[in-house]
Amino acid sequence: MYISSTNSTNSLVKEMLARGEWPQGEHFLYAGYQTAGRGQTGNSWESEEGKNLLCSILLPPDKNLYFLNIAVSVALIRLIDEQLTIKWPNDIYWKDKKLAGILLENAIIGNEVKYAIAGIGLNVNQTKFVSNAPNPVSLKQITGKEYDMDQLMKDLFEAVNIVLNEPEDVIWSEYKAHLYRREGYWPFENQSGAFEAHIEDVLPTGEIVLSDKNGQVHQYGFKQIKYIL
């Protein structure tokens, strides 16, 4: 389903589900423009009108929410370019620049989780970014090509469906193989300050496991650790 403008595709899908207005058999909402696009933990998402892929996909709620995060990440990698990487937990990176982000939320109706909703922002045909986001990049900036948004949306939905029907261990392995800065030691920062560490693992619950140069191993949840770019 396409809508020319909304505040946030995830918010609109949840509102329509709660009011019983979501069309039967529909699985995604695609917007030309978001007035208040959201990223993880309240971050905003900049997008020039009509230039980027802004969508929400309804997913089955019977899988671990973090697995759905990695499944959508892997689907984006397969769709766009196997040379891209996934910056934990689920940002899609080209070199050291952010190409796409994912926001996974549950849709609760009554007291029951009815759906998981994957909100996806993929920079496509935008070539000028004016917000204070530090490192955005678009497909057009990378390849020099203009992309058909409708076809890209259809291809993305198909890619997500394929990934969700594959064995979970295959998807986990592919996710880990594409982790951003997965080799060597890199600078991170936690509440105690900056340090260098190596990525050891990502757990099914979503925590990242790092080992520092002193051989100490720690695991961190989202927002407990950040990359220094």
Side-chain angles (χ1 to χ4, degrees), residues 75-82 84 92 99-100 122 139 152:
L76 280 165
I77 291 285
R78 290 185 184 180
L79 173 68
I80 303 166
D81 187 343
E82 291 285 344
L84 297 173
I92 306 302
L99 179 65
L122 170 63
L139 287 176
L152 200 58

Side-chain angles (χ1 to χ4, degrees), residues 13-180:
V13 170
K14 288 195 292 184
E15 290 167 8
M16 293 179 71
L17 286 169
R19 295 194 300 260
E21 297 174 356
W22 184 255
Q24 187 173 1
E26 187 63 82
H27 295 284
F28 64 85
L29 174 68
Y30 159 42
Y33 181 62
Q34 288 185 140
T35 59
R38 294 182 295 123
Q40 296 282 4
T41 62
N43 293 335
S44 62
W45 183 268
E46 177 194 356
S47 180
E48 186 178 346
E49 187 169 357
K51 295 290 187 178
N52 301 316
L53 185 61
L54 311 168
C55 65
S56 292
I57 302 177
L58 284 186
L59 301 173
D62 58 344
K63 294 182 181 290
N64 173 284
L65 195 63
Y66 191 74
F67 173 74
L68 292 176
N69 256 310
I70 72 158
V72 176
S73 301
V74 168
L76 280 165
I77 291 285
R78 290 185 184 180
L79 173 68
I80 303 166
D81 187 343
E82 291 285 344
Q83 300 303 311
L84 297 173
T85 59
I86 304 167
K87 178 174 166 284
W88 176 85
N90 57 10
D91 286 336
I92 306 302
Y93 263 51
W94 176 75
K95 298 183 178 180
D96 290 323
K97 294 182 177 291
K98 184 174 178 177
L99 179 65
I102 302 165
L103 176 64
L104 254 291
E105 298 180 296
N106 282 325
I108 301 172
I109 302 176
N111 294 318
E112 185 178 357
V113 176
K114 289 290 188 179
Y115 300 97
I117 305 172
I120 301 167
L122 170 63
N123 296 327
V124 182
N125 293 323
Q126 184 168 341
T127 57
K128 183 179 180 181
F129 294 87
V130 297
S131 76
N132 59 359
N135 58 344
V137 70
S138 70
L139 287 176
K140 187 173 182 179
Q141 287 177 318
I142 296 170
T143 67
K145 299 177 183 178
E146 189 86 11
Y147 290 82
D148 182 315
M149 221 73 66
D150 291 336
Q151 187 60 52
L152 200 58
M153 179 71 248
K154 293 174 184 176
D155 292 344
L156 173 59
F157 185 60
E158 181 179 352
V160 170
N161 278 332
I162 290 171
V163 166
L164 289 176
N165 285 290
E166 293 183 6
E168 290 193 13
D169 60 335
V170 172
I171 304 308
W172 266 107
S173 178
E174 197 167 336
Y175 172 82
K176 293 177 183 179
H178 283 91
L179 279 173
Y180 174 71

